[in-house]
Amino acid sequence: MKELRAAAVALKLKLEEIDTQLDAKGLESAFQTAKQKQVGAIMTTTTRNFFAERKRIVELARKYRLPAIYFQKEFVDEGGLMSYGADFDDLFRKAAHYVDKILKGTKPADLPVQQATKFEFVINLNAAKQIGLTIPPEVLARANKVIK
């Protein structure tokens, strides 16, 4: 959240932070609050709990006609609008290299810690149509994958 707050200030955007309980009532309430505050779009924080509730979150975003960007493509697979996050296929391939090195005798402590270097941007045009949103061609051109 610290990075989001700084980015919002730099971009001159108003950031609305809405805390929620991850149950049906809490999620519905959070979306109602977002709609009442007339937010222009939503994004969830990167947590396992939000990932576990991705289907319900995507349904609520559609119900309240709120554009949303998610941290993993699985949200888009559930019908969400778009995602931007680490390419987990790439991370798993890198993990296999680490396993190989460890099995060949390298001590895990001797291996460098790596962060994701490959990211993917996925857009679902069906979801955009459902909420009456047109995605500009310039944005579509930047996507790694476009679902039609």
Side-chain angles (χ1 to χ4, degrees), residues 4 6 10 20 26 35 53-54 66 82 91 96 109-110 116 123 127 133 136 138:
L4 285 176
T20 185
K35 200 64 172 174
E53 293 294 332
R54 66 190 176 278
L66 286 168
M82 64 179 72
L91 290 177
D110 293 338
I123 299 174
L133 184 67
E138 302 84 21

Side-chain angles (χ1 to χ4, degrees), residues 78-138:
E78 292 287 350
L81 178 61
M82 64 179 72
S83 66
Y84 181 75
D87 180 336
F88 281 93
D89 292 339
D90 183 60
L91 290 177
F92 295 142
R93 275 190 293 278
K94 288 179 180 178
H97 291 290
Y98 272 53
V99 170
D100 180 59
K101 289 179 181 186
I102 292 167
L103 291 175
K104 290 179 178 173
T106 303
K107 293 179 184 176
D110 293 338
L111 294 170
V113 174
Q114 294 186 357
Q115 290 187 338
T117 57
K118 188 174 179 187
F119 295 84
E120 59 186 345
F121 180 35
V122 181
I123 299 174
N124 183 336
L125 290 177
N126 294 325
K129 184 178 181 182
Q130 288 177 338
I131 63 171
L133 184 67
T134 301
I135 308 291
E138 302 84 21

